[in-house]
Amino acid sequence: MKNKNLLNLLSFIATLVFVSCTNTPQKNSALYQTGTINALLDGLYNGEVNFKQLKEKGDFGIGTFNTLDGEMLGFDGQFYQVKSDGIAYPVNDSLKTPFAVVTHFNKDISTQLRDTLNYKGLIQYLDSKIPTANIFYAIKIQGEFNYIKTRSVPKQTKPYPTLVTVVAKQSTFTFTNVKGTLVGFRFPDYTSGINVPGYHFHFITDDKLKGGHLLQLSGINATVAIDAIHSIQLDLPRNSIFYEMDLSANKEKDLEKVEK
Ligand SMILES: [Zn+2]
């Protein structure tokens, strides 16, 4: 009897320890990514991961939706879908994604930026702030922008065209003297094929009504927060379409057309 009580007590303590460990916020950030950029470029627009699952992996991130139905971004645990009309909609947990990257954002570097620079200038500025080009970064830029140009892509039907074909007909949107947030990542050059090497940002206005994939900007008065990340979980599709794709080709030229 005594032993049984002791066992119960031990198992109770073990449960408490387990629960408190799983509730502890991660101090060291990790990236979680579903899908690969080269599979997306070749028209793999349906994934198996839903936003309920994705939110468990991070409160901050970017990506797209099944059928390529718009640009996705999330921060502070709230995720948005910027459809091809440029309007931002809250994301329902049951929606799925073929390509997304998220993290639990913990800022390591924070700076104030006030400059007339454009996107290229912003890239140079960010490169001067990071300690190395060989790890991952999550970047949040919150403030005012003199000019922002974004795009979004329309929902596709089967047989799916390649991403280059879709982007040739993308809708673009311009914003002047706008308050909002840029959510993005920097991936090392050696990750080409898996994600977008270099910087990739999505934008949303402060009122959470409009946004899209960032194409150009100029004039910033904002807070820049950077999370340096050393770890990635890459979750690959579990279906025959992905298994049978030829992902051996170098797609950097396609990526250039799609991202810029
Ligand atoms: Zn994008």
Side-chain angles (χ1 to χ4, degrees):
M1 198 62 184
K2 253 189 178 174
N3 279 346
K4 204 183 169 193
N5 282 342
L6 186 64
L7 263 177
N8 282 343
L9 181 66
L10 284 176
S11 101
F12 177 68
I13 291 168
T15 308
L16 277 186
V17 169
F18 177 74
V19 168
S20 71
C21 284
T22 51
N23 286 343
T24 304
Q26 283 177 287
K27 277 190 182 147
N28 291 313
S29 312
L31 289 184
Y32 168 85
Q33 180 177 322
T34 181
T36 72
I37 192 70
N38 276 12
L40 192 75
L41 283 166
D42 275 355
L44 187 72
Y45 299 153
N46 286 327
E48 296 139 359
V49 174
N50 67 34
F51 277 81
K52 185 175 188 292
Q53 295 165 315
L54 199 69
K55 284 178 186 172
E56 285 163 11
K57 303 291 186 178
D59 56 11
F60 177 102
I62 61 175
T64 185
F65 299 87
N66 275 16
T67 70
L68 202 71
D69 192 11
E71 309 280 355
M72 183 279 277
L73 83 162
F75 62 100
D76 300 336
Q78 300 297 314
F79 286 77
Y80 303 92
Q81 178 179 19
V82 180
K83 294 191 186 180
S84 62
D85 56 4
I87 307 290
Y89 303 84
V91 175
N92 188 300
D93 277 356
S94 64
L95 283 181
K96 290 182 179 178
T97 175
F99 181 74
V101 56
V102 297
T103 189
H104 292 281
F105 192 87
N106 296 301
K107 86 178 165 204
D108 296 306
I109 303 162
S110 182
T111 64
Q112 276 300 126
L113 173 60
R114 186 171 192 165
D115 200 296
T116 55
L117 47 65
N118 59 15
Y119 195 0
K120 200 178 165 193
L122 176 64
I123 287 168
Q124 287 166 354
Y125 172 83
L126 293 171
D127 276 345
S128 77
K129 295 290 169 192
I130 58 172
T132 169
N134 294 339
I135 63 169
F136 308 101
Y137 298 94
I139 303 147
K140 181 162 75 171
I141 304 177
Q142 225 157 11
E144 275 186 81
F145 305 85
N146 291 350
Y147 171 79
I148 287 225
K149 184 179 181 185
T150 65
R151 73 105 195 275
S152 189
V153 283
K155 183 175 173 168
Q156 300 298 305
T157 51
K158 289 179 181 174
Y160 292 137
T162 65
L163 195 51
V164 170
T165 310
V166 173
V167 165
K169 290 178 268 176
Q170 68 190 4
S171 319
T172 62
F173 313 97
T174 56
F175 303 87
T176 51
N177 302 321
V178 64
K179 284 184 183 170
T181 304
L182 287 168
V183 171
F185 292 90
R186 186 189 193 283
F187 271 70
D189 286 345
Y190 63 78
T191 60
S192 172
I194 294 174
N195 205 306
V196 179
Y199 294 91
H200 180 185
F201 288 100
H202 289 181
F203 175 72
I204 190 161
T205 53
D206 252 11
D207 56 15
K208 314 289 190 312
L209 294 179
K210 291 176 179 183
H213 167 104
L214 180 69
L215 293 175
Q216 191 51 267
L217 64 80
S218 72
I220 295 184
N221 182 8
T223 305
V224 178
I226 302 174
D227 182 5
I229 301 168
H230 295 77
S231 170
I232 183 166
Q233 181 188 354
L234 182 60
D235 195 2
L236 297 172
R238 293 157 174 80
N239 63 62
S240 59
I241 300 172
F242 180 72
Y243 287 4
E244 283 155 27
M245 291 178 99
D246 178 4
L247 297 170
S248 61
N250 183 322
K251 292 266 174 193
E252 277 174 29
K253 280 190 181 144
D254 286 358
L255 197 57
E256 184 84 5
K257 285 182 201 158
V258 164
E259 293 299 320
K260 302 290 158 70

